[in-house]
Amino acid sequence: MTSPASRLSLDEWLRAAYDDPAAGCPPPETWLEEELAARTPEERRRLEAHAAHCQACAAERDLAQGFDAGSEAPGVRPEDVAFVVSRLEAAAPVGNVRDISRFRDARREPSKAVPVPARRRIESSPVWRLAAAAVLVIAAGLAFQLSRPGAPPLPAPQTGGVVRGGEVETVSPLGEVAAIPAELRWNPRPGATSYRVRLSTVDDTVLWEATVPASPARLPAEVIQKLHRAVAYHWTVEALGPAGERLGVSEPARFRARPAPEGAKL
Amino acid sequence: MDLDRLSDKELIERARANAADFAAADACLAALYRRYYTKVAGWCLRISGDRQAAADLAQEVFLRVHDRLDGFRGDSRFSTWLYTVTRSIAINRGMAARRRETDALDEEGMPEPVEPSPGADEMAEKGQILAAFRDAMERDLEPLEAKVLYLHYVDGVPLAGITEMLSLQNKSGAKAYIVSGGRKLKRRFGRWLARQSAGGTLS
């Protein structure tokens, strides 16, 4: 057998080959127009000479030039650029949780785009204030209902601990669980190359979302800290294909960690 | 104040100076991000080859930039930093898809692994192999094969994105170059390449 350290896959060898300082390859961002312009003519000549025989750097130069060209790059259609920009404008990441929620909504309904800076406009709307107040009242009522002694338990998960009926099957956590979960699990969907996972409160405020290659999705510590016992949460999984297209979505799965026994340290 | 007249650096400084005034800080950052929407959109479209995937990627880029802006020290241009973030996210997203795409491409049997010479210094051997890999990319492969292999395996660009980006006109696009280039490398380096899956495919 070949020595274990030498048994790497092709991509691992290629990455290692070009990460090696001995390759003499400059950082990828070197090929940006502004970065090149900041160099002396001699340095630019040296870089071009390197890229002439190093196809890795030639590829990085192509990528960087594509960034410089933006919407003018060959093969990029203006209507596609307009589509992506409209999505960005609808979901400007300026602000906090409310904006992340908007980000999700914009994905589903790009036609309801809210131009940036949207937070100020939304907050100044009387309708928004009324809606926010209503959501707060409902959320407070739900939290009270779930946290009081003798609160009715959530429905038990179906046989086998799997929610069926959706195009992706969620596995855990489902229903009433003993502890605040550290990860979300689901069954793989044939053809999916990644999964977009979303964890929300019952009023549909997104607490966390991420795209992961496979189950399980581990919850970041800062998200786990935001989860409380006796409070219900929803989560969903979307299966994505190689080009990011949606292959299927799970039914919303619901869970709640049991209230801690009286006197127990939370 | 017309924010569009400010430089990137000035917008960031102004947003930081107005950290307590959300509306003012948001307006500065919104102006800054909007400045790069078209650029990032175009790049994402170019490497995704699909506008839905490009939109998702571009949105993730600006969310990440916004999350990490506090850590941006201004040692480089904002546009350069934005590019490194964009490229990094694209690579990470492309990796999982790439593994699936190339699983189906291997069609040749693998040469049997060969025992290295007794007592060989593994690190030295690895260094030699790395140099040989780079050398093979330059000498054994057609420039286009090498470029496609690098973009796909190292940068994780999907095959459709490479086909679009390099304006490849052949029927199967980038896939043909992955197969021909990969075959040459396997022929020369098969003894060092691991079998990746139960089916014995090489990724």
Side-chain angles (χ1 to χ4, degrees):
Chain A
M1 284 291 290
T2 308
S3 50
S6 299
R7 296 292 304 270
L8 302 175
S9 57
L10 180 55
D11 57 335
E12 288 168 327
W13 275 116
L14 286 171
R15 266 199 299 280
Y18 289 103
D19 279 347
D20 186 349
C25 298
E29 63 272 18
T30 303
W31 302 104
L32 290 170
E33 193 178 352
E34 282 187 324
E35 294 296 318
L36 285 173
R39 292 173 179 266
T40 64
E42 178 53 34
E43 285 175 321
R44 286 200 295 273
R45 267 195 297 276
R46 195 168 43 79
L47 285 167
E48 288 300 335
H50 174 84
H53 68 81
C54 175
Q55 291 305 315
C57 286
E60 290 295 352
R61 185 181 55 191
D62 282 359
L63 285 173
Q65 286 176 347
F67 190 75
D68 286 323
S71 59
E72 306 294 316
V76 175
R77 296 185 305 176
E79 60 268 31
D80 289 340
V81 174
F83 170 81
V84 176
V85 169
S86 74
R87 288 269 299 267
L88 289 171
E89 286 173 342
V94 177
N96 48 31
V97 174
R98 277 199 302 278
D99 297 293
I100 292 172
S101 174
R102 240 175 346 98
F103 175 71
R104 177 211 55 208
D105 294 340
R107 274 184 177 164
R108 289 176 180 166
E109 300 174 77
S111 58
K112 293 186 179 176
V114 182
V116 291
R119 198 175 69 164
R120 189 167 39 188
R121 294 186 186 189
I122 288 175
E123 284 179 342
S124 64
S125 157
V127 175
W128 162 250
R129 286 179 183 163
L130 278 173
V135 167
L136 280 175
V137 168
I138 292 167
L142 274 171
F144 173 74
Q145 182 71 14
L146 289 170
S147 61
R148 69 192 170 92
L154 292 173
Q158 295 176 15
T159 310
V162 172
V163 168
R164 299 195 186 279
E167 297 151 306
V168 182
E169 293 173 340
T170 50
V171 173
S172 68
L174 297 175
E176 189 112 346
V177 294
I180 289 172
E183 60 185 27
L184 309 175
R185 289 182 173 274
W186 61 93
N187 285 333
R189 189 187 193 286
T193 55
S194 61
Y195 298 85
R196 186 179 298 133
V197 192
R198 184 175 297 132
L199 175 65
S200 320
T201 59
V202 290
D203 66 358
D204 221 19
T205 298
V206 176
L207 296 175
W208 177 70
E209 70 176 7
T211 302
V212 296
S215 173
R218 295 199 63 80
L219 298 174
E222 61 269 24
V223 175
I224 294 174
Q225 284 171 0
K226 288 181 192 169
L227 303 181
H228 302 286
R229 287 178 176 274
V231 176
Y233 298 95
H234 288 169
W235 63 283
T236 56
V237 186
E238 286 175 53
L240 306 175
E245 74 277 23
R246 194 166 84 167
L247 302 179
V249 63
S250 71
E251 294 284 349
R254 191 178 187 210
F255 72 90
R256 184 185 73 164
R258 286 190 202 103
E262 209 168 316
K265 191 176 178 182
L266 291 172
Chain B
M1 163 65 69
D2 182 1
L3 295 176
D4 289 337
R5 297 172 71 93
L6 298 179
S7 68
D8 294 352
K9 193 178 174 189
E10 287 168 332
L11 284 172
I12 293 168
E13 285 169 354
R14 187 175 278 257
R16 284 175 176 162
N18 288 296
D21 179 352
F22 289 137
D26 279 4
C28 291
L29 295 181
L32 174 68
Y33 299 157
R34 201 166 42 224
R35 197 170 280 182
Y36 290 98
Y37 280 172
T38 305
K39 189 168 269 201
V40 171
W43 193 85
C44 292
L45 280 163
R46 202 160 176 245
I47 72 151
S48 299
D50 171 85
R51 73 181 196 169
Q52 201 66 38
D56 282 355
L57 175 59
Q59 285 178 329
E60 192 173 338
V61 165
F62 281 100
L63 276 179
R64 180 81 59 88
V65 164
H66 190 60
D67 277 349
R68 299 200 173 169
L69 193 62
D70 283 346
F72 175 63
R73 294 172 305 187
D75 295 340
S76 65
R77 292 175 184 81
F78 173 77
S79 56
T80 301
W81 182 66
L82 174 65
Y83 176 66
T84 61
V85 171
T86 306
R87 181 180 167 279
S88 161
I89 292 174
I91 288 174
N92 289 337
R93 283 176 72 114
M95 284 303 165
R98 185 201 58 69
R99 285 187 185 282
R100 291 298 183 104
E101 277 183 337
T102 47
D103 270 356
L105 296 181
D106 184 64
E107 55 199 50
E108 288 188 344
M110 282 283 296
E112 284 300 310
V114 176
E115 185 76 22
S117 54
D121 181 337
E122 196 171 294
M123 291 309 290
E125 181 194 30
K126 189 173 176 183
Q128 287 168 6
I129 302 168
L130 293 179
F133 248 98
R134 292 194 299 269
D135 188 53
M137 289 284 278
E138 289 170 27
R139 294 171 190 274
D140 297 0
L141 272 54
E142 297 296 324
L144 203 47
E145 287 172 339
K147 194 182 272 190
V148 169
L149 277 172
Y150 179 87
L151 284 168
H152 192 57
Y153 283 104
V154 181
D155 278 351
V157 181
L159 295 177
I162 299 174
T163 302
E164 183 96 5
M165 182 177 153
L166 300 180
S167 304
L168 302 177
Q169 301 297 320
N170 58 314
K171 191 178 173 187
S172 56
K175 183 176 172 180
Y177 296 92
I178 291 283
V179 170
S180 61
R183 194 175 289 159
K184 289 176 186 172
L185 287 178
K186 275 180 254 171
R187 204 169 293 145
R188 186 160 157 187
F189 296 100
R191 59 182 289 199
W192 288 291
L193 293 171
R195 289 172 190 273
Q196 286 289 291
S197 66
T201 52
L202 179 71
S203 72

